[in-house]
Amino acid sequence: MQRFFRSRAFKALVCVLVALTCGAVIAAFTHNNSTPLSSATATILQPAQRLSAYVSYKLSNFNDSFKSASTLKKENEELRKELDNCRQEIVGYNDAKSKLETYEEFLGVKEDNPDFVFANASVISRDSTAPLESFTLNKGTNAGIEVNDPVIFGSNLIGVVTGVSPTSCTVSTIADPDVCAGVYESYTGEVGFTRGMGAAENNIYCKIPGIKTDSEISPNGIICTTGSGGVFPKDLIVGTVVTIEDSKDGVSSFATVRSAVNFDELSEVFVITDFEGQGVITTTSEN
């Protein structure tokens, strides 16, 4: 018997009885309608109920936050996809705009020169050592392109084909020192030839050496091809005169000519694969 009174079960029973008694006393003093047993039970279980309610509230908020985070992630993914689509549309629009401008320029040249035969091409790479003096196009002999075919952008002379394969070709621009073209100044009619002199600030330059000291060529004069030599057709625009300077020999001058084309942004060009007088070498003493 003594063992029973000392056991944990007896002690637990005593605690429950004490709790019930306290609950009955509290209920009597508060004059509520609950029975002593229910009041005592409520008193004992109240902390557990509060804990349960708190845990339930936290779990509910966690679920709401989890759902909100999931929804937000989904919305972000959708917005990211829409942004990517918009960027692709902008790239497509800019590409189409560039091609449209190129073809508008081409149509004007074609109307003025019905004998020209063209092959359109895109720039696919540039010479890393001299990116504005040489580049590669995505068309070659399969498109009828050959060495010495002139390359233009609108009515502006870009350069000449110096190497070709079945599916690509290399173009040397008018800034290349090895590229020469017979030219005239559109206002005075004075003739000469150009020689490439490199590039600066995304513009390419060539010069007209051997100008007479009493020449009337002046800055802003328009320089065009004469058609002599059989490589470049007549009246392609080479560029605008920037400066006139004395040569080192002291008896002549040279004009620096800048192309109107921004070669750094050049992406679409036309190769003239045939024109009247191509390959026919002539000399021109006046315009």
Side-chain angles (χ1 to χ4, degrees), residues 209-223:
I211 297 176
K212 296 178 181 180
T213 54
D214 60 350
S215 170
E216 295 183 5
I217 295 177
S218 61
N220 298 320
I222 306 298
I223 304 301

Side-chain angles (χ1 to χ4, degrees), residues 153-228:
F153 179 81
S155 56
N156 296 277
L157 177 63
I158 300 299
V160 63
V161 174
T162 52
V164 65
S165 72
T167 58
S168 66
C169 66
T170 301
V171 177
S172 295
T173 74
I174 58 174
D176 188 323
D178 292 332
V179 175
C180 298
V183 295
Y184 69 94
E185 199 276 327
S186 61
Y187 178 73
T188 65
E190 292 187 44
V191 298
F193 66 93
T194 64
R195 186 174 296 279
M197 57 184 304
E201 299 177 351
N202 298 332
N203 292 307
I204 66 171
Y205 294 84
C206 58
K207 63 180 179 179
I208 305 174
I211 297 176
K212 296 178 181 180
T213 54
D214 60 350
S215 170
E216 295 183 5
I217 295 177
S218 61
N220 298 320
I222 306 298
I223 304 301
C224 303
T225 55
T226 60
S228 62

Side-chain angles (χ1 to χ4, degrees), residues 19-29 35-37 39-40:
L20 291 173
T21 303
C22 292
V25 173
I26 294 171
F29 277 101
T35 63
L37 180 60
S39 297

Side-chain angles (χ1 to χ4, degrees), residues 68-84:
S68 298
S70 177
T71 301
L72 183 60
K73 181 179 179 181
K74 183 178 179 181
E75 291 177 352
N76 285 341
E77 290 177 352
E78 292 176 352
L79 289 173
R80 198 172 289 111
K81 289 180 180 178
E82 291 181 5
L83 181 59
D84 290 340

Side-chain angles (χ1 to χ4, degrees), residues 209-213 245-254:
I211 297 176
K212 296 178 181 180
T213 54
E245 302 176 51
D246 292 333
S247 300
K248 293 181 179 180
D249 58 18
V251 296
S252 64
S253 302
F254 70 91

